[in-house]
């Protein structure tokens, strides 16, 4: 299955003009079948959206503002880091947000959010039925209605009395990977775009990486180009041009992942400086949507040599994977006459913490990072937060 995923992924990101030179005969033989499936998928998307437009399916409106953070392509777009960024900012501002995540792929993203946001007022609900999960949490904790006399004042006030009052009751909902989740009405649609591989071959899955046609960008309120620090200015401008062709008024922000430290896989409470890998031999092991961004980030830390083992997004590491990693480590140790480090992402750690501890005597380091908004042409972190405030000031609504 892992091999098949890699084969399909290579097809999805190979430009049509380069297929004959970059794809194997097996991959070329799969394209007609994948293209047929892609046409069926497009039809299913169209029918689903029309059913909502015509009222056959109804969107539920929650009694608090809903922020959707989603994307148009599979994996590596920075959705979950953006969810954490928004949730932490809201909690610091006195609003207790509820994050709704489906828990896909071993719930690695939910586990990472729970670990990062532990001790804050942020609540995390895991389940495919987001509306049902939201109902459970709203019933358990209650919610803030700022139109009522009991909750007057600025919802984003720094006033401690207001913040303490709002600490437990839910003031907003954040949908992780919410763009294609149509059953819930949202007040703000944020679309994340991977600056390193934005649209692939521009076809829908499975022959391409698009979950919806590019015209779906017209539903967005904000677009964020992620990993913007790892690509050339011309590439950013090309992505912006594609977005402007769909909607010329969309605010476009840039973001990146900023490394803070490592933790040891053997003891997550032990923080290690990023200097740990400087001038060392490193093996980057990852099962994420954009392994290239991870590897480039490690290379910027100045290791002597970087090797890599890439798996598909949400890959659950097994004993056979550990054997493969160990073999690669032994080869590197023989070549450089020094014991290499293994570096993994937090998602990989949270998905397979026990398995990845079985690499003794090699040390496994987990890279910790957080999302940062990059300033460009008037679009800054402050203006991003201003957009959030304008779109999500809580209001009284009826469920429907």
């Amino acid at each position: 299955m892992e091999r098949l995923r890699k084969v399909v992924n290579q097809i999805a990101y190979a430009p049509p003009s380069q297929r004959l030179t970059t794809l194997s005969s097996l991959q070329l033989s799969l394209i007609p079948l994948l293209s047929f499936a892609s046409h069926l998928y497009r039809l299913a998307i169209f029918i689903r959206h029309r059913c909502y437009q015509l009222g056959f399916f109804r969107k539920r409106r929650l009694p608090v503002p809903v922020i959707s953070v989603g994307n148009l392509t599979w994996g590596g777009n920075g959705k979950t880091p953006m969810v954490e960024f928004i949730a932490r900012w809201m909690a610091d501002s006195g609003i207790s947000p509820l994050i709704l995540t489906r828990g896909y792929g071993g719930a690695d993203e939910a586990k990472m959010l729970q670990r990062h946001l532990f001790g804050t007022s942020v609540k995390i609900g895991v389940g495919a039925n987001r509306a049902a999960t939201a109902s459970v949490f709203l019933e358990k904790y209650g919610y803030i209605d700022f139109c009522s006399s009991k909750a007057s004042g600025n919802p984003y006030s720094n006033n401690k009395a207001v913040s303490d009052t709002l600490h437990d009751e839910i003031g907003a909902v954040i949908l992780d990977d919410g763009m294609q989740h149509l059953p819930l009405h949202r007040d703000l649609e944020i679309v994340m775009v991977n600056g390193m591989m934005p649209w692939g071959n521009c076809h829908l899955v499975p022959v391409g990486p698009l979950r919806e046609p590019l015209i779906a960008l017209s539903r967005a309120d904000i677009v964020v180009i992620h990993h913007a620090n790892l690509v050339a200015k011309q590439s950013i401008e090309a992505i912006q041009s594609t977005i402007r062709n769909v909607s010329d008024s969309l605010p476009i922000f840039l973001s990146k992942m900023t490394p803070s430290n490592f933790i040891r896989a053997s003891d997550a409470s032990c923080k290690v400086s990023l200097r740990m890998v400087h001038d060392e031999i490193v093996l980057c092991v990852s099962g994420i949507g954009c392994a290239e961004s991870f590897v480039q980030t490690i290379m910027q830390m100045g290791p002597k040599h970087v090797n890599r083992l890439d798996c598909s997004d949400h890959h659950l590491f097994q004993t056979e994977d550990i054997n493969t990693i160990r073999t690669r480590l032994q080869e590197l140790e023989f070549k450089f006459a020094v014991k290499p480090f293994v570096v993994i992402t937090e998602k990989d750690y949270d998905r397979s913490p026990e398995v990845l501890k079985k690499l003794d005597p090699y040390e496994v380091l987990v890279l910790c990072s957080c999302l940062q908004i990059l300033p460009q042409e008037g679009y800054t972190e402050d203006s991003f937060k201003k957009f959030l405030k304008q779109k999500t000031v809580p209001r009284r609504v009826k469920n429907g």
Side-chain angles (χ1 to χ4, degrees):
M1 182 60 72
E2 178 67 18
R3 183 170 179 268
L4 179 59
R5 288 176 179 173
K6 288 184 177 180
V7 166
V8 172
N9 189 69
Q10 289 169 354
I11 294 173
Y13 285 99
S17 60
Q18 299 177 18
R19 282 177 175 174
L20 293 178
T21 57
T22 60
L23 299 180
S24 67
S25 56
L26 169 63
Q27 290 170 320
L28 291 173
S29 68
L30 287 174
I31 289 177
L33 177 61
L34 295 175
S35 296
F36 177 71
S38 181
H39 287 304
L40 293 179
Y41 177 74
R42 179 185 292 272
L43 178 62
I45 290 175
F46 174 78
I47 293 173
R48 183 168 180 251
H49 277 277
R50 287 296 290 171
C51 284
Y52 277 99
Q53 291 169 359
L54 297 173
F56 294 117
F57 300 152
R58 297 185 64 189
K59 290 188 177 184
R60 180 179 177 186
R61 185 186 287 270
L62 297 180
V64 293
V66 175
I67 302 171
S68 167
V69 180
N71 61 8
L72 289 183
T73 61
W74 58 42
N77 296 273
K79 296 185 305 296
T80 303
M82 176 58 78
V83 166
E84 180 182 342
F85 176 90
I86 295 171
R88 190 177 294 278
W89 169 71
M90 283 189 160
D92 290 344
S93 301
I95 298 293
S96 177
L98 166 63
I99 297 173
L100 296 177
T101 178
R102 60 180 175 169
Y104 178 76
D108 49 7
E109 292 161 345
K111 292 175 184 176
M112 185 175 71
L113 287 170
Q114 289 167 345
R115 185 163 50 82
H116 284 192
L117 297 169
F118 178 78
T120 71
S121 64
V122 180
K123 298 161 184 64
I124 301 172
V126 181
N129 189 331
R130 318 286 180 88
T133 303
S135 295
V136 171
F137 277 80
L138 291 168
E139 178 68 24
K140 180 178 180 180
Y141 294 99
Y143 62 90
I144 298 297
D145 177 0
F146 284 92
C147 294
S148 72
S149 59
K150 294 181 180 179
S152 59
N154 180 359
Y156 293 98
S157 171
N158 290 323
N159 184 295
K160 187 176 186 302
V162 174
S163 298
D164 289 345
T165 301
L166 308 183
H167 185 80
D168 208 37
E169 294 178 295
I170 295 168
V173 165
I174 307 171
L175 284 178
D176 185 10
D177 194 14
M179 189 175 187
Q180 287 76 39
H181 188 79
L182 302 182
L184 279 181
H185 172 87
R186 66 284 318 275
D187 299 273
L188 181 68
E189 188 82 72
I190 300 173
V191 177
M192 305 294 295
V193 176
N194 187 343
M196 301 187 72
M197 43 184 195
W199 326 115
N201 58 16
C202 293
H203 291 293
L204 295 176
V205 295
V207 75
L210 290 177
R211 301 166 72 181
E212 291 189 72
L214 290 177
I215 191 63
L217 286 169
S218 61
R219 303 204 313 269
D221 297 296
I222 294 174
V223 174
V224 181
I225 302 175
H226 194 47
H227 299 312
N229 61 313
L230 299 178
V231 295
K233 182 180 179 181
Q234 293 86 342
S235 298
I236 296 295
E237 291 173 347
I239 297 170
Q240 290 173 326
S241 177
T242 299
I243 296 169
R244 297 290 185 216
N245 286 337
V246 177
S247 177
D248 59 7
S249 61
L250 265 178
I252 303 175
F253 290 84
L254 306 181
S255 68
K256 72 170 186 175
M257 295 304 294
T258 301
S260 56
N261 59 270
F262 292 111
I263 58 174
R264 300 184 190 275
S266 58
D267 181 5
S269 65
C270 182
K271 291 186 177 181
V272 179
S273 168
L274 298 175
R275 295 281 302 171
M276 187 77 168
V277 299
H278 181 75
D279 207 29
E280 298 288 348
I281 309 302
V282 174
L283 174 62
C284 294
V285 179
S286 62
I288 57 175
C290 186
E292 183 63 27
S293 64
F294 171 53
V295 174
Q296 284 198 31
T297 298
I298 296 299
M299 290 178 68
Q300 290 176 351
M301 297 176 190
K304 182 178 180 179
H305 176 80
V306 175
N307 203 286
R308 62 195 288 178
L309 277 172
D310 303 340
C311 300
S312 60
D313 197 13
H314 300 290
H315 178 71
L316 189 62
F317 291 98
Q318 307 288 347
T319 301
E320 61 187 78
D321 297 304
I322 296 302
N323 293 336
T324 300
I325 296 171
R326 187 179 294 278
T327 299
R328 182 72 64 88
L329 288 168
Q330 291 169 346
E331 292 171 354
L332 290 170
E333 186 174 7
F334 178 79
K335 179 178 180 180
F336 293 97
V338 64
K339 202 173 292 296
F341 287 98
V342 181
V343 180
I344 62 175
T345 71
E346 287 190 274
K347 278 181 60 176
D348 295 308
Y349 170 76
D350 285 311
R351 191 185 320 118
S352 310
E354 297 306 318
V355 175
L356 291 168
K357 290 179 182 178
K358 298 178 180 179
L359 283 169
D360 286 340
Y362 300 100
E363 181 157 20
V364 181
L365 300 176
V366 184
L367 179 64
C368 300
S369 305
C370 61
L371 184 139
Q372 179 183 348
I373 302 292
L374 299 174
Q376 61 101 22
E377 299 177 0
Y379 290 110
T380 64
E381 182 174 317
D382 287 340
S383 59
F384 181 79
K385 292 175 180 177
K386 185 177 179 180
F387 271 104
L388 293 179
K389 289 181 183 180
Q390 290 174 343
K391 290 284 187 176
T392 62
V393 173
R395 71 281 180 273
R396 181 194 297 274
V397 296
K398 296 180 180 179
N399 289 346

